[in-house]
Amino acid sequence: MKTAILLVLAYLLGSIPSGIWIGKLFFKKDIREFGSGNSGTTNTFRVLGKTAGLVVFAMDLLKGTLATCLPLIFHLDINPLWFGLIAVIGHTLPIFAGFKGGKAVATSAGMLLGFAPLFFFYSLAFFLIVLYITSMVSAASIASAIFVTLSSIILPYIWPTILPIQNWLLTIVCLVLTCYIIYRHKENIQRIKDGTENRVSFGLNKKEK
């Protein structure tokens, strides 16, 4: 019973629509009506500005982290990845926002932070490098998802300090999330091919002000 309740709690945590609530509460805007129409971090930055974007990113990240830590907090002998995955499902299909949510990137990162902090920072470094090179959040997100999945297989053999134990559930979860992230970014991928993808004001190919 405790496990079932905590899994529901993980889903509800993931379902918190940070971008929508911050937009409506502080800016009187529904960010789904502006920019890309997405409720996630990138569109929040674009529509509401840097401060709101950082707050939404932190909330989306930490709800994945908190959900992943629920088994530790409540002393359950269950792989915490299940709870993190449920939170990601909540983020993408939120009950509080008509089951239309974000693209899973920030909350998936939060799951990694809760499960394997060193692996999270290793992956974050790769994300920032790709973001600097491309100046495109979408490209960095897709490349990082693929990188994380491959790293979950390779790192225990070549750099066990970062990821000491081969965990096939981690690899499977990462693979599933990578496929989903690529699917949710299909329009971004087309814009990257066309050379029309939105760029941030950071990096080698940054947007001109």
Side-chain angles (χ1 to χ4, degrees), residues 105 108-109 111-112 116 119-127 140-156 163 166-167 170-175 177-178 181:
V105 178
S108 296
M111 179 188 69
L112 283 185
F119 189 37
F120 164 79
F121 287 109
Y122 159 90
S123 304
L124 177 62
F126 180 84
F127 174 88
S141 299
I142 295 166
S144 296
I146 296 170
F147 178 76
V148 166
T149 300
L150 294 175
S151 294
S152 71
I153 300 171
I154 297 170
L155 276 182
L163 196 63
Q166 183 69 63
N167 188 315
L170 173 63
T171 300
I172 293 169
V173 168
C174 288
L175 179 60
L177 291 177
T178 295
I181 288 169

Side-chain angles (χ1 to χ4, degrees), residues 27 41-56:
F27 298 88
T41 299
T42 303
N43 200 40
T44 304
F45 270 103
R46 186 177 300 123
V47 175
L48 304 180
K50 184 183 297 184
T51 300
L54 289 172
V55 170
V56 169

Side-chain angles (χ1 to χ4, degrees), residues 88-138:
V88 175
I89 292 172
H91 176 72
T92 58
L93 297 169
I95 193 172
F96 303 126
F99 301 100
K100 295 180 180 179
K103 295 182 178 179
V105 178
T107 307
S108 296
M111 179 188 69
L112 283 185
L113 177 59
F115 182 75
L118 287 178
F119 189 37
F120 164 79
F121 287 109
Y122 159 90
S123 304
L124 177 62
F126 180 84
F127 174 88
L128 292 174
I129 290 169
V130 178
L131 180 61
Y132 180 75
I133 293 170
T134 66
S135 299
M136 291 184 286
V137 174
S138 56

